Amino acid sequence: MRTVAIGILAMACLVAVARGGNFFQDSEMTWGDGRGKVVDGGRGLDLTLDKTSGSGFQSKTEYLFGKIDMQIKLVPGNSAGTVTTFYLSSQGTAHDEIDFEFLGNVTGEPYTLHTNVFAKGQGQREQQFRLWFDPTKAFHTYSIIWNPQHVIFAVDGTAIRDFKNHEARGVSFPKSQPMRLYASLWNADDWATQGGRVKTDWSKAPFVASFRNFNADACVMSGGAQRCPAGTMEASAAGGSGSWWNQELSGMGYRRMRWVQRKFMIYNYCTDPKRVAQGVPAECKLR
């Protein structure tokens, strides 16, 4: 296992305060005028969308690297036009962002899982997937593993995408801007379902997406200082594989990811003819 250099930033490796998860303690509603509600004694949070408004929340903490897990149960039935999001983002025009977005569909048709990575304000790195299960019947775990060398998207522990740090090849990578967790449920029927051809059926409102078991095993930013979970740097310096700080895909994990991509990926910016005609992005030329 390759050892990742520790000197990304000066950091104090103290006991982390960013382990999950009580929504009362760890999150705050940002919009929706009461349409988002913490439930089950703080263990869950429901977001609601009606014709007037959707709703959203954010973490109280900013993170700079970590493993972020959220269990989500998506809007059931006719969810066409709705978008449920779970993502990390910094602020400003040159912001960094790591996205999970779930695009609804008509009853009986599958959701689209949309992923994207922004670095220094540059996005357009979309990959989209169908899920191999019904994400409305039960809670499933969606994870972002973000360290100085990788952004790994995982579903129920299976990696579906690995965006690697290729800064040495001129590709921007999100590594210096602290990000908060955000989640939302909103109406996007101008584009979300079948390119906007299918609109939201408001007779089915209110729509509800449920979140639970938010867990952030992460380095947090507080007072301009970065604080990491105890043992994070020690595991990295020793070349250990137990920490997200130096986590990368094993050979088996890579093969499993490639299987998911072959079976379930429906869009890849690297192979989009319109994008390729304008020049293949640098990272798409790299293995």
Side-chain angles (χ1 to χ4, degrees):
M1 174 68 71
R2 156 185 49 77
T3 299
V4 178
I6 298 174
I8 303 296
L9 290 171
M11 59 175 60
C13 296
L14 306 177
V15 175
V17 297
R19 293 183 184 273
N22 185 296
F23 283 97
F24 281 124
Q25 299 171 358
D26 301 329
S27 69
E28 54 192 2
M29 300 303 306
T30 50
W31 62 287
D33 195 24
R35 290 174 178 80
K37 290 184 170 57
V38 177
V39 298
D40 196 19
R43 289 183 289 272
L45 191 153
D46 290 345
L47 293 180
T48 300
L49 165 68
D50 58 32
K51 197 169 186 177
T52 301
S53 177
S55 50
F57 68 90
Q58 69 179 30
S59 64
K60 293 180 179 179
T61 304
E62 289 185 309
Y63 311 106
L64 188 56
F65 305 126
K67 182 176 185 288
I68 313 295
D69 301 314
M70 184 76 76
Q71 292 189 332
I72 306 173
K73 184 163 66 173
L74 297 175
V75 174
N78 186 354
S79 58
T82 71
V83 175
T84 304
T85 69
F86 160 55
Y87 64 102
L88 296 171
S89 182
S90 62
Q91 300 297 311
T93 55
H95 75 295
D96 294 341
E97 189 172 322
I98 303 169
D99 293 340
F100 275 109
E101 296 185 352
F102 304 88
L103 314 185
N105 214 333
V106 294
T107 301
E109 295 298 318
Y111 266 81
T112 296
L113 170 55
H114 176 100
T115 67
N116 202 355
V117 177
F118 286 74
K120 299 180 180 178
Q122 178 61 47
Q124 297 187 325
R125 298 184 173 103
E126 302 94 342
Q127 290 183 353
Q128 295 183 338
F129 303 81
R130 300 297 193 200
L131 293 166
W132 49 95
F133 52 83
D134 184 342
T136 72
K137 297 298 186 184
F139 285 92
H140 292 268
T141 302
Y142 304 91
S143 304
I144 296 169
I145 297 103
W146 171 36
N147 63 40
Q149 297 300 322
H150 297 265
V151 173
I152 299 171
F153 297 78
V155 177
D156 288 336
T158 295
I160 63 170
R161 181 177 184 180
D162 182 4
F163 184 80
K164 298 181 181 180
N165 185 342
H166 288 301
E167 285 187 306
R169 309 282 186 93
V171 180
S172 296
F173 185 85
K175 73 171 191 180
S176 60
Q177 299 187 55
M179 296 194 272
R180 291 186 191 275
L181 165 75
Y182 296 88
S184 61
L185 173 60
W186 54 291
N187 177 49
D189 65 4
D190 56 332
W191 63 270
T193 304
Q194 300 178 32
R197 291 186 296 274
V198 181
K199 304 301 182 181
T200 304
D201 181 356
W202 293 111
S203 71
K204 301 295 192 293
F207 304 98
V208 179
S210 299
F211 298 75
R212 74 177 186 190
N213 290 344
F214 166 40
N215 185 75
D217 183 6
C219 298
V220 304
M221 296 298 294
S222 179
Q226 187 182 32
R227 297 187 294 158
C228 294
T232 299
M233 297 301 106
E234 291 86 342
S236 174
S241 60
S243 170
W244 51 260
W245 180 265
N246 59 356
Q247 186 170 342
E248 59 185 18
L249 296 181
S250 64
M252 181 178 294
Y254 176 79
R255 290 190 295 273
R256 175 68 176 171
M257 180 185 73
R258 294 295 297 141
W259 180 84
V260 169
Q261 292 175 346
R262 286 192 299 270
K263 294 279 288 185
F264 301 105
M265 182 186 288
I266 60 172
Y267 176 81
N268 183 358
Y269 73 109
C270 286
T271 57
D272 183 334
K274 295 179 181 178
R275 300 278 183 88
V276 171
Q278 299 170 7
V280 178
E283 66 269 23
C284 298
K285 303 174 186 177
L286 305 170
R287 178 173 173 83

